Short mmCIF file of all heavy atoms in Angstrom, two decimals:
data_model
loop_
_atom_site.label_atom_id
_atom_site.label_comp_id
_atom_site.label_asym_id
_atom_site.label_seq_id
_atom_site.Cartn_x
_atom_site.Cartn_y
_atom_site.Cartn_z
N MET Y 28 0.79 -1.17 -0.02
CA MET Y 28 -0.01 0.01 0.02
C MET Y 28 0.90 1.32 0.02
O MET Y 28 0.56 2.14 -0.84
CB MET Y 28 -0.89 -0.03 1.26
CG MET Y 28 -1.77 1.08 1.36
SD MET Y 28 -3.02 1.12 0.10
CE MET Y 28 -3.97 2.53 0.69
N ILE Y 29 1.76 1.28 0.92
CA ILE Y 29 2.74 2.50 0.90
C ILE Y 29 3.49 2.61 -0.38
O ILE Y 29 3.70 3.75 -0.82
CB ILE Y 29 3.65 2.40 2.19
CG1 ILE Y 29 2.89 2.53 3.52
CG2 ILE Y 29 4.79 3.45 2.06
CD1 ILE Y 29 2.34 3.93 3.76
N ASP Y 30 4.07 1.51 -0.89
CA ASP Y 30 4.72 1.48 -2.11
C ASP Y 30 4.01 2.03 -3.27
O ASP Y 30 4.53 2.83 -4.12
CB ASP Y 30 5.28 0.07 -2.53
CG ASP Y 30 6.32 -0.53 -1.57
OD1 ASP Y 30 7.02 0.42 -0.87
OD2 ASP Y 30 6.42 -1.69 -1.42
N THR Y 31 2.68 1.69 -3.24
CA THR Y 31 1.85 2.26 -4.36
C THR Y 31 1.62 3.72 -4.22
O THR Y 31 1.71 4.52 -5.25
CB THR Y 31 0.41 1.59 -4.29
OG1 THR Y 31 0.56 0.22 -4.41
CG2 THR Y 31 -0.45 2.08 -5.40
N ILE Y 32 1.51 4.22 -3.00
CA ILE Y 32 1.31 5.74 -2.81
C ILE Y 32 2.65 6.40 -3.19
O ILE Y 32 2.60 7.45 -3.76
CB ILE Y 32 0.91 5.93 -1.31
CG1 ILE Y 32 -0.46 5.40 -1.08
CG2 ILE Y 32 0.94 7.38 -1.01
CD1 ILE Y 32 -0.84 5.38 0.36
N ILE Y 33 3.67 5.84 -2.76
CA ILE Y 33 5.01 6.33 -3.18
C ILE Y 33 5.22 6.50 -4.62
O ILE Y 33 5.72 7.41 -5.19
CB ILE Y 33 6.24 5.70 -2.41
CG1 ILE Y 33 6.07 5.92 -0.92
CG2 ILE Y 33 7.55 6.08 -3.02
CD1 ILE Y 33 7.02 5.24 -0.08
N SER Y 34 4.90 5.35 -5.30
CA SER Y 34 5.00 5.33 -6.71
C SER Y 34 4.15 6.45 -7.44
O SER Y 34 4.57 7.03 -8.28
CB SER Y 34 4.61 3.96 -7.31
OG SER Y 34 5.52 2.94 -6.87
N LEU Y 35 2.85 6.62 -6.92
CA LEU Y 35 2.11 7.64 -7.41
C LEU Y 35 2.58 8.99 -7.29
O LEU Y 35 2.47 9.87 -8.13
CB LEU Y 35 0.61 7.51 -7.06
CG LEU Y 35 -0.20 6.23 -7.38
CD1 LEU Y 35 -1.45 6.07 -6.66
CD2 LEU Y 35 -0.25 6.20 -8.84
N LEU Y 36 3.09 9.29 -6.12
CA LEU Y 36 3.70 10.56 -5.84
C LEU Y 36 4.98 10.91 -6.65
O LEU Y 36 5.08 12.01 -7.18
CB LEU Y 36 4.03 10.69 -4.32
CG LEU Y 36 2.85 10.74 -3.32
CD1 LEU Y 36 3.31 10.74 -1.89
CD2 LEU Y 36 2.08 11.93 -3.69
N ILE Y 37 5.82 9.81 -6.92
CA ILE Y 37 6.91 9.95 -7.81
C ILE Y 37 6.43 10.24 -9.18
O ILE Y 37 7.02 11.05 -10.00
CB ILE Y 37 7.90 8.70 -7.60
CG1 ILE Y 37 8.61 8.72 -6.32
CG2 ILE Y 37 8.86 8.67 -8.84
CD1 ILE Y 37 9.46 7.39 -6.06
N GLY Y 38 5.45 9.45 -9.49
CA GLY Y 38 4.84 9.75 -11.02
C GLY Y 38 4.23 11.15 -11.18
O GLY Y 38 4.50 11.79 -12.14
N ALA Y 39 3.64 11.56 -10.06
CA ALA Y 39 3.11 12.99 -10.07
C ALA Y 39 4.25 13.96 -10.23
O ALA Y 39 4.16 14.92 -11.02
CB ALA Y 39 2.26 13.22 -8.88
N LEU Y 40 5.29 13.74 -9.43
CA LEU Y 40 6.46 14.73 -9.50
C LEU Y 40 7.13 14.63 -10.78
O LEU Y 40 7.48 15.60 -11.44
CB LEU Y 40 7.54 14.31 -8.40
CG LEU Y 40 8.74 15.04 -8.48
CD1 LEU Y 40 8.50 16.60 -8.05
CD2 LEU Y 40 9.66 14.45 -7.44
N ALA Y 41 7.30 13.38 -11.34
CA ALA Y 41 7.80 13.22 -12.67
C ALA Y 41 7.03 13.87 -13.77
O ALA Y 41 7.57 14.60 -14.73
CB ALA Y 41 8.27 11.83 -13.03
N GLY Y 42 5.75 13.73 -13.67
CA GLY Y 42 4.83 14.25 -14.60
C GLY Y 42 4.82 15.83 -14.56
O GLY Y 42 4.80 16.53 -15.70
N TRP Y 43 4.92 16.40 -13.35
CA TRP Y 43 4.95 17.74 -13.28
C TRP Y 43 6.28 18.35 -13.81
O TRP Y 43 6.29 19.36 -14.51
CB TRP Y 43 4.89 18.13 -11.71
CG TRP Y 43 5.01 19.67 -11.52
CD1 TRP Y 43 4.03 20.55 -11.67
CD2 TRP Y 43 6.21 20.37 -10.96
NE1 TRP Y 43 4.45 21.73 -11.30
CE2 TRP Y 43 5.84 21.72 -10.95
CE3 TRP Y 43 7.37 19.98 -10.66
CZ2 TRP Y 43 6.66 22.63 -10.39
CZ3 TRP Y 43 8.20 20.79 -10.14
CH2 TRP Y 43 7.90 22.18 -9.98
N ILE Y 44 7.45 17.66 -13.48
CA ILE Y 44 8.70 18.18 -14.18
C ILE Y 44 8.73 18.05 -15.60
O ILE Y 44 9.12 18.98 -16.32
CB ILE Y 44 9.82 17.30 -13.48
CG1 ILE Y 44 9.96 17.53 -11.95
CG2 ILE Y 44 11.19 17.62 -14.18
CD1 ILE Y 44 10.98 16.58 -11.32
N ALA Y 45 8.28 16.97 -16.17
CA ALA Y 45 8.12 16.85 -17.69
C ALA Y 45 7.22 17.87 -18.23
O ALA Y 45 7.55 18.43 -19.25
CB ALA Y 45 7.69 15.42 -18.06
N GLY Y 46 6.12 18.15 -17.56
CA GLY Y 46 5.17 19.14 -18.09
C GLY Y 46 5.89 20.49 -18.19
O GLY Y 46 5.59 21.33 -19.01
N ASN Y 47 6.72 20.82 -17.14
CA ASN Y 47 7.41 21.99 -17.06
C ASN Y 47 8.49 22.23 -18.10
O ASN Y 47 8.70 23.22 -18.79
CB ASN Y 47 8.00 22.40 -15.67
CG ASN Y 47 6.98 22.73 -14.71
OD1 ASN Y 47 5.92 23.35 -15.11
ND2 ASN Y 47 7.23 22.45 -13.48
N ILE Y 48 9.14 21.02 -18.42
CA ILE Y 48 10.22 21.01 -19.34
C ILE Y 48 9.62 21.10 -20.78
O ILE Y 48 10.21 21.92 -21.63
CB ILE Y 48 11.03 19.69 -19.29
CG1 ILE Y 48 11.82 19.53 -18.05
CG2 ILE Y 48 11.95 19.40 -20.55
CD1 ILE Y 48 12.48 18.25 -17.82
N MET Y 49 8.57 20.49 -21.03
CA MET Y 49 7.96 20.48 -22.33
C MET Y 49 6.86 21.59 -22.47
O MET Y 49 6.15 21.63 -23.51
CB MET Y 49 7.27 19.10 -22.63
CG MET Y 49 8.27 17.97 -22.61
SD MET Y 49 9.47 17.95 -23.83
CE MET Y 49 8.49 17.59 -25.25
N ASN Y 50 6.65 22.42 -21.53
CA ASN Y 50 5.67 23.46 -21.62
C ASN Y 50 4.35 23.10 -21.91
O ASN Y 50 3.53 23.46 -22.80
CB ASN Y 50 6.08 24.57 -22.73
CG ASN Y 50 7.23 25.34 -22.23
OD1 ASN Y 50 7.54 25.68 -21.09
ND2 ASN Y 50 8.12 25.63 -23.10
N SER Y 51 3.89 21.96 -21.07
CA SER Y 51 2.65 21.36 -21.19
C SER Y 51 1.74 21.69 -20.04
O SER Y 51 2.32 21.67 -18.94
CB SER Y 51 2.74 19.85 -21.29
OG SER Y 51 1.52 19.16 -21.39
N GLU Y 52 0.56 22.02 -20.15
CA GLU Y 52 -0.31 22.28 -19.12
C GLU Y 52 -1.19 21.04 -18.58
O GLU Y 52 -1.42 20.17 -19.44
CB GLU Y 52 -1.30 23.39 -19.45
CG GLU Y 52 -0.65 24.69 -19.82
CD GLU Y 52 -1.58 25.80 -20.07
OE1 GLU Y 52 -2.84 25.62 -19.89
OE2 GLU Y 52 -1.17 26.87 -20.61
N GLY Y 53 -1.34 20.91 -17.38
CA GLY Y 53 -2.14 19.86 -16.89
C GLY Y 53 -2.27 20.02 -15.34
O GLY Y 53 -1.48 20.59 -14.71
N GLY Y 54 -3.31 19.24 -14.80
CA GLY Y 54 -3.53 19.26 -13.41
C GLY Y 54 -2.74 18.12 -12.69
O GLY Y 54 -2.03 17.35 -13.38
N PHE Y 55 -2.99 17.98 -11.41
CA PHE Y 55 -2.46 16.98 -10.57
C PHE Y 55 -2.61 15.53 -11.17
O PHE Y 55 -1.65 14.71 -11.35
CB PHE Y 55 -2.73 17.05 -9.19
CG PHE Y 55 -2.21 16.04 -8.27
CD1 PHE Y 55 -0.84 16.17 -7.86
CD2 PHE Y 55 -2.96 14.86 -7.89
CE1 PHE Y 55 -0.25 15.21 -7.02
CE2 PHE Y 55 -2.34 14.03 -7.07
CZ PHE Y 55 -1.00 14.14 -6.68
N PHE Y 56 -3.88 15.20 -11.45
CA PHE Y 56 -4.13 13.93 -12.04
C PHE Y 56 -3.52 13.61 -13.31
O PHE Y 56 -2.94 12.58 -13.46
CB PHE Y 56 -5.65 13.65 -12.11
CG PHE Y 56 -6.09 12.27 -12.54
CD1 PHE Y 56 -5.95 11.27 -11.72
CD2 PHE Y 56 -6.60 12.12 -13.74
CE1 PHE Y 56 -6.33 9.95 -12.00
CE2 PHE Y 56 -6.93 10.86 -14.24
CZ PHE Y 56 -6.85 9.75 -13.28
N ARG Y 57 -3.54 14.59 -14.34
CA ARG Y 57 -2.94 14.41 -15.53
C ARG Y 57 -1.46 14.20 -15.53
O ARG Y 57 -0.78 13.29 -16.11
CB ARG Y 57 -3.32 15.56 -16.46
CG ARG Y 57 -2.60 15.43 -17.74
CD ARG Y 57 -3.07 16.51 -18.77
NE ARG Y 57 -2.48 16.31 -20.08
CZ ARG Y 57 -1.88 17.18 -20.64
NH1 ARG Y 57 -1.69 18.45 -20.13
NH2 ARG Y 57 -1.20 16.97 -21.87
N ASN Y 58 -0.80 14.97 -14.57
CA ASN Y 58 0.59 14.82 -14.32
C ASN Y 58 0.98 13.49 -13.78
O ASN Y 58 1.97 12.87 -14.01
CB ASN Y 58 1.06 16.02 -13.40
CG ASN Y 58 1.20 17.26 -14.10
OD1 ASN Y 58 1.23 17.35 -15.29
ND2 ASN Y 58 1.24 18.41 -13.32
N MET Y 59 0.06 13.07 -12.80
CA MET Y 59 0.32 11.69 -12.19
C MET Y 59 0.26 10.61 -13.18
O MET Y 59 1.14 9.73 -13.23
CB MET Y 59 -0.64 11.54 -10.98
CG MET Y 59 -0.34 10.22 -10.23
SD MET Y 59 -1.51 10.09 -8.81
CE MET Y 59 -3.09 10.31 -9.34
N VAL Y 60 -0.71 10.58 -13.99
CA VAL Y 60 -0.83 9.64 -15.07
C VAL Y 60 0.36 9.68 -16.00
O VAL Y 60 0.82 8.63 -16.42
CB VAL Y 60 -2.24 9.74 -15.76
CG1 VAL Y 60 -2.26 8.90 -17.02
CG2 VAL Y 60 -3.30 9.37 -14.80
N LEU Y 61 0.58 10.91 -16.44
CA LEU Y 61 1.73 11.04 -17.41
C LEU Y 61 3.14 10.61 -16.78
O LEU Y 61 3.79 9.91 -17.46
CB LEU Y 61 1.91 12.57 -17.78
CG LEU Y 61 2.84 12.93 -18.72
CD1 LEU Y 61 2.49 12.22 -20.08
CD2 LEU Y 61 2.99 14.36 -18.97
N GLY Y 62 3.27 10.91 -15.52
CA GLY Y 62 4.47 10.38 -14.84
C GLY Y 62 4.49 8.93 -14.76
O GLY Y 62 5.61 8.19 -14.99
N VAL Y 63 3.39 8.19 -14.45
CA VAL Y 63 3.43 6.75 -14.33
C VAL Y 63 3.63 6.09 -15.61
O VAL Y 63 4.36 5.20 -15.72
CB VAL Y 63 2.12 6.36 -13.62
CG1 VAL Y 63 2.00 4.83 -13.63
CG2 VAL Y 63 2.01 6.84 -12.13
N VAL Y 64 2.87 6.55 -16.65
CA VAL Y 64 3.06 6.10 -18.07
C VAL Y 64 4.55 6.32 -18.46
O VAL Y 64 5.08 5.56 -19.08
CB VAL Y 64 2.04 6.74 -19.00
CG1 VAL Y 64 2.19 6.21 -20.42
CG2 VAL Y 64 0.60 6.25 -18.64
N GLY Y 65 5.01 7.59 -18.17
CA GLY Y 65 6.32 7.97 -18.57
C GLY Y 65 7.40 7.06 -17.86
O GLY Y 65 8.37 6.70 -18.48
N GLY Y 66 6.97 6.67 -16.69
CA GLY Y 66 7.96 5.69 -15.97
C GLY Y 66 8.05 4.39 -16.66
O GLY Y 66 9.18 3.70 -16.90
N ALA Y 67 6.97 3.98 -17.11
CA ALA Y 67 6.88 2.61 -17.93
C ALA Y 67 7.70 2.81 -19.26
O ALA Y 67 8.45 1.90 -19.65
CB ALA Y 67 5.46 2.18 -18.17
N VAL Y 68 7.40 3.91 -20.06
CA VAL Y 68 7.87 4.09 -21.18
C VAL Y 68 9.48 4.35 -21.04
O VAL Y 68 10.26 3.74 -21.81
CB VAL Y 68 7.38 5.26 -22.06
CG1 VAL Y 68 8.11 5.75 -23.25
CG2 VAL Y 68 5.84 5.09 -22.36
N GLY Y 69 9.83 5.18 -20.15
CA GLY Y 69 11.32 5.31 -19.89
C GLY Y 69 12.05 4.06 -19.39
O GLY Y 69 13.12 3.76 -19.93
N GLY Y 70 11.45 3.32 -18.57
CA GLY Y 70 11.98 2.04 -18.17
C GLY Y 70 12.25 1.12 -19.30
O GLY Y 70 13.31 0.52 -19.51
N PHE Y 71 11.20 1.07 -20.26
CA PHE Y 71 11.34 0.21 -21.40
C PHE Y 71 12.54 0.63 -22.40
O PHE Y 71 13.30 -0.13 -22.75
CB PHE Y 71 10.04 0.23 -22.21
CG PHE Y 71 10.14 -0.52 -23.46
CD1 PHE Y 71 10.11 -1.97 -23.49
CD2 PHE Y 71 10.20 0.01 -24.71
CE1 PHE Y 71 10.18 -2.64 -24.68
CE2 PHE Y 71 10.23 -0.61 -25.88
CZ PHE Y 71 10.36 -2.01 -25.78
N VAL Y 72 12.58 1.87 -22.54
CA VAL Y 72 13.48 2.61 -23.48
C VAL Y 72 14.90 2.34 -22.88
O VAL Y 72 15.85 1.93 -23.64
CB VAL Y 72 13.33 4.01 -23.78
CG1 VAL Y 72 14.41 4.69 -24.40
CG2 VAL Y 72 11.99 4.12 -24.57
N PHE Y 73 15.01 2.65 -21.60
CA PHE Y 73 16.38 2.50 -20.92
C PHE Y 73 16.77 1.06 -20.87
O PHE Y 73 17.97 0.70 -21.20
CB PHE Y 73 16.40 3.12 -19.59
CG PHE Y 73 16.59 4.62 -19.63
CD1 PHE Y 73 15.69 5.50 -20.00
CD2 PHE Y 73 17.94 5.11 -19.31
CE1 PHE Y 73 15.87 6.82 -19.99
CE2 PHE Y 73 18.16 6.39 -19.25
CZ PHE Y 73 17.14 7.30 -19.76
N ARG Y 74 15.89 0.05 -20.53
CA ARG Y 74 16.29 -1.28 -20.62
C ARG Y 74 16.53 -1.84 -21.98
O ARG Y 74 17.49 -2.65 -22.10
CB ARG Y 74 15.06 -2.14 -19.93
CG ARG Y 74 15.12 -2.10 -18.50
CD ARG Y 74 14.10 -3.14 -17.91
NE ARG Y 74 12.77 -2.85 -18.43
CZ ARG Y 74 11.88 -2.21 -17.79
NH1 ARG Y 74 12.07 -1.61 -16.63
NH2 ARG Y 74 10.55 -2.06 -18.25
N PHE Y 75 15.99 -1.28 -22.94
CA PHE Y 75 16.30 -1.60 -24.30
C PHE Y 75 17.69 -1.35 -24.78
O PHE Y 75 18.40 -2.10 -25.41
CB PHE Y 75 15.30 -0.93 -25.34
CG PHE Y 75 15.60 -1.22 -26.74
CD1 PHE Y 75 15.10 -2.48 -27.33
CD2 PHE Y 75 16.23 -0.42 -27.65
CE1 PHE Y 75 15.32 -2.78 -28.57
CE2 PHE Y 75 16.47 -0.72 -28.93
CZ PHE Y 75 16.05 -1.88 -29.42
N PHE Y 76 18.13 -0.22 -24.18
CA PHE Y 76 19.58 0.11 -24.38
C PHE Y 76 20.54 -0.36 -23.37
O PHE Y 76 21.74 -0.11 -23.39
CB PHE Y 76 19.77 1.61 -24.55
CG PHE Y 76 19.08 2.20 -25.83
CD1 PHE Y 76 17.97 2.85 -25.81
CD2 PHE Y 76 19.70 1.90 -26.99
CE1 PHE Y 76 17.38 3.44 -26.89
CE2 PHE Y 76 19.10 2.46 -28.14
CZ PHE Y 76 17.97 3.21 -28.17
N GLY Y 77 20.10 -1.22 -22.37
CA GLY Y 77 20.90 -1.85 -21.44
C GLY Y 77 21.16 -1.13 -20.24
O GLY Y 77 22.12 -1.32 -19.32
N PHE Y 78 20.42 0.08 -19.85
CA PHE Y 78 20.53 0.72 -18.70
C PHE Y 78 19.44 0.45 -17.69
O PHE Y 78 18.25 0.27 -18.13
CB PHE Y 78 20.47 2.27 -19.06
CG PHE Y 78 21.65 2.68 -19.92
CD1 PHE Y 78 21.45 3.00 -21.24
CD2 PHE Y 78 22.95 2.90 -19.41
CE1 PHE Y 78 22.46 3.49 -22.03
CE2 PHE Y 78 24.03 3.22 -20.15
CZ PHE Y 78 23.74 3.54 -21.52
N TYR Y 79 19.65 0.48 -16.45
CA TYR Y 79 18.72 0.13 -15.49
C TYR Y 79 18.77 1.19 -14.47
O TYR Y 79 19.84 1.72 -14.01
CB TYR Y 79 19.02 -1.22 -14.84
CG TYR Y 79 18.99 -2.37 -15.84
CD1 TYR Y 79 20.02 -2.71 -16.59
CD2 TYR Y 79 17.59 -2.93 -16.07
CE1 TYR Y 79 19.93 -3.80 -17.43
CE2 TYR Y 79 17.54 -3.96 -17.04
CZ TYR Y 79 18.76 -4.35 -17.72
OH TYR Y 79 18.64 -5.30 -18.65
N ALA Y 80 17.62 1.65 -13.92
CA ALA Y 80 17.57 2.61 -12.76
C ALA Y 80 17.52 2.05 -11.51
O ALA Y 80 16.61 1.03 -11.28
CB ALA Y 80 16.32 3.57 -13.03
N HIS Y 81 18.41 2.40 -10.65
CA HIS Y 81 18.37 1.95 -9.27
C HIS Y 81 18.38 3.15 -8.27
O HIS Y 81 19.22 4.08 -8.36
CB HIS Y 81 19.75 1.08 -9.00
CG HIS Y 81 19.75 -0.18 -9.84
ND1 HIS Y 81 18.97 -1.19 -9.67
CD2 HIS Y 81 20.64 -0.37 -10.88
CE1 HIS Y 81 19.34 -2.11 -10.46
NE2 HIS Y 81 20.25 -1.65 -11.24
N GLY Y 82 17.40 3.13 -7.49
CA GLY Y 82 17.16 4.28 -6.53
C GLY Y 82 16.05 5.18 -6.92
O GLY Y 82 15.67 5.26 -8.13
N MET Y 83 15.66 6.03 -6.05
CA MET Y 83 14.53 6.96 -6.20
C MET Y 83 14.86 8.03 -7.27
O MET Y 83 14.11 8.34 -8.16
CB MET Y 83 14.13 7.50 -4.89
CG MET Y 83 12.88 8.31 -5.09
SD MET Y 83 12.04 8.92 -3.56
CE MET Y 83 13.35 9.88 -2.74
N ILE Y 84 16.05 8.62 -7.17
CA ILE Y 84 16.52 9.69 -7.99
C ILE Y 84 16.62 9.23 -9.54
O ILE Y 84 16.07 9.83 -10.38
CB ILE Y 84 17.81 10.39 -7.65
CG1 ILE Y 84 17.64 10.91 -6.10
CG2 ILE Y 84 18.20 11.35 -8.64
CD1 ILE Y 84 16.72 12.05 -6.04
N ALA Y 85 17.11 8.03 -9.63
CA ALA Y 85 17.25 7.46 -10.97
C ALA Y 85 15.96 7.13 -11.61
O ALA Y 85 15.76 7.38 -12.70
CB ALA Y 85 18.08 6.19 -10.98
N ASN Y 86 14.94 6.67 -10.74
CA ASN Y 86 13.55 6.37 -11.20
C ASN Y 86 12.90 7.58 -11.54
O ASN Y 86 12.10 7.63 -12.56
CB ASN Y 86 12.89 5.61 -10.06
CG ASN Y 86 13.20 4.14 -10.08
OD1 ASN Y 86 13.54 3.62 -11.13
ND2 ASN Y 86 13.22 3.51 -8.89
N ILE Y 87 13.09 8.70 -10.79
CA ILE Y 87 12.54 9.98 -11.23
C ILE Y 87 13.04 10.45 -12.58
O ILE Y 87 12.26 10.91 -13.47
CB ILE Y 87 12.63 11.07 -10.09
CG1 ILE Y 87 11.96 10.66 -8.86
CG2 ILE Y 87 12.31 12.50 -10.61
CD1 ILE Y 87 12.13 11.46 -7.67
N ILE Y 88 14.35 10.35 -12.67
CA ILE Y 88 14.92 10.85 -14.05
C ILE Y 88 14.41 10.05 -15.25
O ILE Y 88 14.06 10.62 -16.29
CB ILE Y 88 16.51 10.77 -13.93
CG1 ILE Y 88 16.89 11.83 -12.92
CG2 ILE Y 88 17.20 10.85 -15.30
CD1 ILE Y 88 18.48 11.67 -12.54
N VAL Y 89 14.34 8.69 -15.05
CA VAL Y 89 13.89 7.86 -16.12
C VAL Y 89 12.39 8.14 -16.28
O VAL Y 89 12.02 8.27 -17.52
CB VAL Y 89 14.08 6.34 -15.66
CG1 VAL Y 89 13.25 5.46 -16.61
CG2 VAL Y 89 15.57 5.94 -15.71
N SER Y 90 11.54 8.43 -15.39
CA SER Y 90 10.11 8.70 -15.46
C SER Y 90 9.93 10.03 -16.23
O SER Y 90 9.10 10.24 -17.04
CB SER Y 90 9.48 8.81 -14.01
OG SER Y 90 9.47 7.54 -13.53
N VAL Y 91 10.79 11.09 -15.82
CA VAL Y 91 10.71 12.37 -16.58
C VAL Y 91 11.05 12.18 -17.94
O VAL Y 91 10.47 12.75 -18.83
CB VAL Y 91 11.71 13.42 -15.81
CG1 VAL Y 91 11.86 14.64 -16.64
CG2 VAL Y 91 11.16 13.68 -14.46
N ILE Y 92 12.16 11.46 -18.26
CA ILE Y 92 12.61 11.33 -19.68
C ILE Y 92 11.39 10.58 -20.48
O ILE Y 92 11.01 10.96 -21.56
CB ILE Y 92 13.85 10.55 -19.78
CG1 ILE Y 92 14.96 11.47 -19.34
CG2 ILE Y 92 14.12 10.15 -21.30
CD1 ILE Y 92 16.26 10.80 -19.21
N GLY Y 93 10.80 9.59 -19.93
CA GLY Y 93 9.71 8.82 -20.48
C GLY Y 93 8.46 9.66 -20.64
O GLY Y 93 7.85 9.58 -21.61
N ALA Y 94 8.16 10.53 -19.67
CA ALA Y 94 7.03 11.45 -19.73
C ALA Y 94 7.35 12.43 -20.83
O ALA Y 94 6.42 12.85 -21.62
CB ALA Y 94 6.72 12.07 -18.53
N CYS Y 95 8.46 12.95 -21.00
CA CYS Y 95 8.88 13.98 -22.09
C CYS Y 95 8.63 13.29 -23.39
O CYS Y 95 8.13 13.82 -24.33
CB CYS Y 95 10.23 14.43 -21.94
SG CYS Y 95 10.55 15.62 -20.60
N LEU Y 96 9.04 11.95 -23.52
CA LEU Y 96 8.79 11.23 -24.76
C LEU Y 96 7.38 11.08 -25.06
O LEU Y 96 6.97 11.15 -26.17
CB LEU Y 96 9.53 9.89 -24.65
CG LEU Y 96 11.03 9.82 -24.75
CD1 LEU Y 96 11.53 8.39 -24.44
CD2 LEU Y 96 11.53 10.29 -26.18
N CYS Y 97 6.49 10.78 -24.01
CA CYS Y 97 5.11 10.73 -24.28
C CYS Y 97 4.56 11.94 -24.77
O CYS Y 97 3.63 12.06 -25.57
CB CYS Y 97 4.44 10.21 -22.91
SG CYS Y 97 4.76 8.53 -22.48
N ILE Y 98 4.94 13.09 -24.00
CA ILE Y 98 4.37 14.46 -24.53
C ILE Y 98 4.85 14.75 -25.96
O ILE Y 98 4.09 15.19 -26.84
CB ILE Y 98 4.92 15.61 -23.63
CG1 ILE Y 98 4.30 15.36 -22.22
CG2 ILE Y 98 4.58 16.97 -24.11
CD1 ILE Y 98 4.86 16.28 -21.15
N TRP Y 99 6.07 14.46 -26.26
CA TRP Y 99 6.58 14.75 -27.66
C TRP Y 99 5.77 13.85 -28.66
O TRP Y 99 5.37 14.35 -29.60
CB TRP Y 99 8.05 14.34 -27.75
CG TRP Y 99 8.61 14.43 -29.10
CD1 TRP Y 99 8.96 15.67 -29.75
CD2 TRP Y 99 8.76 13.48 -30.10
NE1 TRP Y 99 9.31 15.34 -31.03
CE2 TRP Y 99 9.33 13.96 -31.26
CE3 TRP Y 99 8.55 12.08 -29.98
CZ2 TRP Y 99 9.54 13.30 -32.39
CZ3 TRP Y 99 8.75 11.31 -31.08
CH2 TRP Y 99 9.28 11.80 -32.23
N PHE Y 100 5.60 12.57 -28.37
CA PHE Y 100 4.89 11.70 -29.19
C PHE Y 100 3.43 12.23 -29.48
O PHE Y 100 2.95 12.20 -30.51
CB PHE Y 100 4.87 10.33 -28.64
CG PHE Y 100 4.30 9.33 -29.54
CD1 PHE Y 100 4.94 8.69 -30.74
CD2 PHE Y 100 2.98 8.85 -29.33
CE1 PHE Y 100 4.32 7.77 -31.47
CE2 PHE Y 100 2.31 7.82 -30.23
CZ PHE Y 100 3.07 7.40 -31.24
N GLY Y 101 2.78 12.56 -28.34
CA GLY Y 101 1.45 13.04 -28.40
C GLY Y 101 1.38 14.33 -29.27
O GLY Y 101 0.40 14.49 -30.09
N ARG Y 102 2.36 15.23 -29.17
CA ARG Y 102 2.27 16.43 -29.99
C ARG Y 102 2.57 16.17 -31.48
O ARG Y 102 2.04 16.74 -32.27
CB ARG Y 102 3.32 17.48 -29.51
CG ARG Y 102 2.96 18.07 -28.14
CD ARG Y 102 4.04 19.07 -27.76
NE ARG Y 102 3.61 19.61 -26.46
CZ ARG Y 102 4.44 20.38 -25.86
NH1 ARG Y 102 5.72 20.54 -26.22
NH2 ARG Y 102 4.05 20.95 -24.67
N LYS Y 103 3.48 15.18 -31.69
CA LYS Y 103 3.88 14.96 -33.07
C LYS Y 103 2.84 14.12 -33.83
O LYS Y 103 2.67 14.39 -35.02
CB LYS Y 103 5.25 14.16 -32.95
CG LYS Y 103 5.97 13.91 -34.29
CD LYS Y 103 6.65 15.17 -34.60
CE LYS Y 103 7.62 14.90 -35.81
NZ LYS Y 103 8.09 16.16 -36.32
N PHE Y 104 2.27 13.13 -33.18
CA PHE Y 104 1.46 12.23 -33.96
C PHE Y 104 -0.11 12.18 -33.57
O PHE Y 104 -0.89 11.57 -34.34
CB PHE Y 104 1.99 10.74 -33.70
CG PHE Y 104 3.32 10.57 -34.25
CD1 PHE Y 104 4.38 10.44 -33.32
CD2 PHE Y 104 3.62 10.53 -35.54
CE1 PHE Y 104 5.70 10.28 -33.75
CE2 PHE Y 104 4.95 10.33 -36.03
CZ PHE Y 104 5.93 10.30 -35.09
N LEU Y 105 -0.55 12.94 -32.50
CA LEU Y 105 -1.84 12.99 -32.23
C LEU Y 105 -2.50 14.26 -32.49
O LEU Y 105 -1.99 15.25 -32.44
CB LEU Y 105 -2.08 12.55 -30.73
CG LEU Y 105 -1.59 11.18 -30.35
CD1 LEU Y 105 -1.86 10.95 -28.84
CD2 LEU Y 105 -2.44 10.07 -31.10
#
């Protein structure tokens, strides 16, 4: 239960950071979803290239990069 709450808070933080980097507007829920999805996308991309995130800071960085990729993809193709 606590791990899920921490993951959602990290996702919200990552989504908020990515939104600021990419100049995207959104509320708390949108940022949280974007950060969680970004974490999955970033984790997949980094694992594809042989990199693994260990620790909270590394997971936030991977989530932010993944969320930025999601925002970019959404702008480019949707």
